[in-house]
């Protein structure tokens, strides 16, 4: 074994000094420094970052035109002592190939980031210098380093230069990028004047080691110039274009989100004011309630169906109530559980319960069977795990005093928000109903009557015919068809119900894929409504909003987040991060507003931060999967969420939380 040896070369004359700049070029500071150098007629050497050269190739060309030397400062400003040999080679080769394609000249000059060249003392630093040497690079050190990147002040920079120059320093290190370099710009003319006053000659690096520029920065051969210009530069230009596209999309997405959020929140606030003004007129009293039918399609619901039925029969709806449950070929004990419940409640006042059993044919077909058996004009659709609040049905029936109303949307809440996945969905649901649904109701362009809790007019259903079965989002399909026939769709924000949200990632992906693909089917089926004359705000606002906010932004957001994170390694983070932080603040602000509207603490909005990185990527994956399946024309089956009765257990275990869940309806 023998110790590693670092050989130094270049013996400057006693009055020779070289000026070098790291980390550039930068469109703000490099032109100012070049102007000073030109006015003072002194040369310099710029150690260029590849990522900066990719963004500002014109500045690299200007450095060359002004007669300055340039060197390699890696591509992404990595600490070379901490990365592999292969990545060191990639960093150096990528930057040199880019400089060749921009200038037509190569470079043998190299300076590692983080001052790893000054006094190498670790195996990693020595290894980095060895790799660079084997690639043919000359590592350039420095002997005058005023640490201008600290921004200590012009006078401090000058004093450090004077002190180190007096000690024999000859290579000055400054920075033309990487932050605010106004102090460097202000100090440079003073430094040059100081050197001249001492009788120093400012020379290029090539003069110090007595090597001509043709060796340090050799011109490319004609064939190599063609190759570099056509392929290498074209590749880097493509990367720059893609980065600019991502940058533009991030800015556009941020602006669209800001405008959309402000508009939706404004509409939601207006809707709440109107709701408060009309609440006394709209609230029905027990004396004017009308008979209603509740239809439920049940498939393997033995864990949850009893709770659903108990909440219905114990509600404060005093008019005759007809419960029709269609057991759609369940493979568990759903039918037996329902029959047991019917037997126990056969003497229930004003409430009759009918069980219909049939082979499994799908939810839409089961609901059609239940609707055919319904005896009343107003029909409530419920999922088998929906737990209505005592006054939910009463609130749901109120808007039907308007004969133009064909459907009323209820307000669905997550019944199992105790785990992180449930809490993320709680934020999502609160926005959907407290902000989005209120805004759509104000503008009369609701796009979905949720199957978990909605009410329909039988006359409208008979006009439409059977519920659509060709899409996976039958509730959205039905809502759009009702509006095609001229029926008004409205929203009852106090018709509250809790439902079980997926508690595992697998269940979430399965449910959301069905929803996303079903919405794409509905958008395609009803595509003639989009931006068509006479479609009103449904075609000119609501449906475009689905494409922009529910599909476009959800698909792009995870990709943009990855681009922002990668920008830290590409050296572009300082430019992109402000927009990214604004985007995060928008997410949290929206979550805070929705939580406030829902009667919860706005401080819970902090969950929108981890939600952005843990939950949104899942939705983005689902959106891309749905788009891919739709583009391929794939057949997608209807998948059902496996019930765990988690919402029921949480309501039973969290008795103090129950009064919080009912606060909106009790306090109105």
């Amino acid at each position: 074994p023998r110790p590693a040896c670092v050989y130094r070369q270049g013996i400057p004359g006693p009055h020779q000094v070289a000026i070098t700049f790291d980390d550039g070029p930068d469109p703000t500071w490099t032109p100012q420094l070049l102007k000073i150098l030109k006015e003072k007629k002194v040369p310099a050497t710029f150690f260029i970052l590849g990522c900066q050269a990719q963004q500002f190739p014109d500045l690299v060309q200007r450095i060359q035109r002004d007669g300055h030397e340039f060197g390699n400062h890696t591509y992404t400003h990595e600490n070379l002592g901490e990365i592999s040999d292969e990545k060191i080679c990639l960093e150096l080769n990528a930057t040199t190939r880019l400089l060749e394609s921009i200038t037509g000249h190569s470079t043998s000059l190299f300076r590692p980031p983080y001052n790893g060249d000054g006094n190498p003392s670790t195996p990693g630093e020595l290894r980095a210098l060895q790799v660079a040497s084997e690639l043919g690079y000359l590592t350039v050190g420095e002997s005058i380093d005023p640490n201008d990147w600290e921004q200590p002040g012009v006078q401090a920079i000058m004093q450090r230069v004077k002190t180190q120059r007096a000690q024999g320093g000859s290579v000055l290190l400054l920075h033309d990028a990487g932050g605010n370099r106004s102090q460097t710009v202000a100090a440079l003319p003073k430094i040059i004047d100081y050197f001249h006053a001492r009788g120093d000659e400012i020379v290029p690096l090539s003069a110090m080691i007595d090597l001509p520029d043709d060796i340090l920065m050799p011109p490319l051969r004609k064939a190599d110039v063609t190759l570099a210009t056509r392929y290498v530069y074209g590749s880097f230009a493509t990367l720059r274009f893609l980065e600019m596209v991502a940058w533009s999309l991030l800015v556009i997405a941020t602006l669209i989100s800001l405008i959309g959020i402000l508009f939706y929140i404004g509409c939601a606030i207006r809707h709440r004011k109107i709701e408060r003004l009309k609440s006394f007129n709209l609230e029905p009293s027990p004396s004017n309630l009308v008979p209603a039918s509740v239809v439920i399609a049940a498939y393997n619901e033995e864990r949850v169906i009893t709770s659903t039925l108990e909440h219905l029969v114990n509600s404060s709806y005093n008019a005759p109530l007809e419960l029709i449950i269609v057991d759609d070929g369940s493979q568990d004990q759903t039918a037996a559980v329902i029959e047991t419940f019917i037997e126990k409640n056969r003497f229930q006042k004003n409430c009759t319960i009918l069980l219909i059993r049939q082979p499994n044919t799908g939810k839409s077909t089961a609901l059609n069977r239940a609707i055919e058996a319904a005896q009343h004009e107003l029909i409530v659709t419920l999922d088998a795990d929906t737990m209505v609040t005592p006054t939910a049905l009463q609130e749901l029936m109120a808007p039907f005093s308007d004969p133009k109303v064909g459907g009323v949307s209820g307000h669905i809440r997550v019944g199992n928000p105790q785990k992180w996945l449930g809490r993320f969905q709680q934020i999502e649901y609160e926005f959907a109903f407290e902000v989005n649904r209120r805004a759509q109701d104000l503008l009369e362009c609701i796009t979905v009557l949720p199957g978990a809790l909605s009410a329909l007019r039988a006359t409208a259903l008979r006009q439409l015919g059977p519920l659509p079965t060709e899409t996976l989002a039958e509730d959205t399909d039905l809502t759009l068809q009702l509006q095609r026939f001229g029926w008004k769709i409205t929203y009852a924000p106090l018709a509250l119900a809790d439902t079980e949200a997926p508690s595992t990632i697998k269940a979430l992906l399965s449910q959301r894929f069905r929803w996303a693909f079903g919405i794409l089917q509905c958008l395609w089926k009803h595509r003639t409504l989009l931006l068509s004359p006479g479609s009103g705000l449904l075609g000119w606002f609501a449906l475009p909003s689905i494409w922009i906010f529910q599909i476009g932004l959800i698909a792009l957001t995870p990709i943009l987040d990855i681009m922002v994170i990668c920008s830290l390694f590409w050296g572009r983070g300082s430019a992109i991060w402000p927009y990214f932080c604004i985007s995060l603040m928008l997410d949290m602000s929206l979550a805070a507003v929705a939580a406030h509207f829902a009667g919860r603490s706005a401080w819970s909005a902090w969950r929108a931060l981890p939600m952005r990185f843990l939950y949104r990527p899942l939705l983005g994956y689902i959106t891309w999967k749905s788009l891919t399946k739709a583009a391929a024309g794939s057949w997608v089956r209807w998948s059902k969420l496996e019930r765990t009765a988690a919402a029921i257990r949480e309501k039973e275990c969290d008795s103090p939380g129950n009064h919080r869940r009912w606060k909106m309806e009790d306090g109105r």
Side-chain angles (χ1 to χ4, degrees), residues 234-248:
S235 300
F236 281 105
T238 301
L239 290 175
R240 184 168 67 251
F241 171 76
L242 293 176
E243 186 176 350
M244 290 302 298
V245 168
W247 165 267
S248 301

Side-chain angles (χ1 to χ4, degrees), residues 15 89 167 172 206 270 291 343 345 406 454-455 529 556-557 638 657:
H15 290 286
C89 293
Q167 296 171 353
L172 171 64
S206 57
R270 176 63 178 166
E343 181 64 23
N345 294 271
S454 293
L529 286 173
L556 287 176
T557 296
W638 204 99

Side-chain angles (χ1 to χ4, degrees), residues 117-128:
D117 54 339
N119 292 292
S121 57
T122 67
E125 292 174 348
L126 291 169
R127 178 174 51 84

Side-chain angles (χ1 to χ4, degrees), residues 414-435:
V414 174
N416 51 323
Q418 302 305 316
K419 296 183 179 180
W420 67 270
L421 195 58
R423 288 170 180 170
F424 291 160
Q425 292 175 88
Q426 184 181 46
I427 294 175
E428 187 181 23
Y429 276 48
E430 285 174 350
F431 167 73
F433 288 96
E434 293 289 357
V435 179

Side-chain angles (χ1 to χ4, degrees), residues 264 436 440 443-448 476-477 479-481 483-484 518-532 534-552:
Y264 273 104
N436 189 21
Q440 289 184 351
L443 302 174
E444 298 185 356
C445 57
I446 292 176
T447 56
V448 56
T476 302
D477 198 350
T479 307
L480 296 178
Q481 290 207 46
Q483 297 191 72
R484 276 182 174 275
I519 287 176
L520 284 176
Q521 289 178 311
C522 293
L523 289 173
W524 178 254
K525 178 179 178 179
H526 299 278
R527 60 189 179 277
T528 55
L529 286 173
L530 184 66
L531 303 179
S532 65
S535 62
L537 288 174
L538 178 68
W540 290 89
F541 174 75
L543 295 182
S545 293
I546 294 177
W547 281 109
I548 295 173
F549 293 103
Q550 296 187 30
I551 298 177

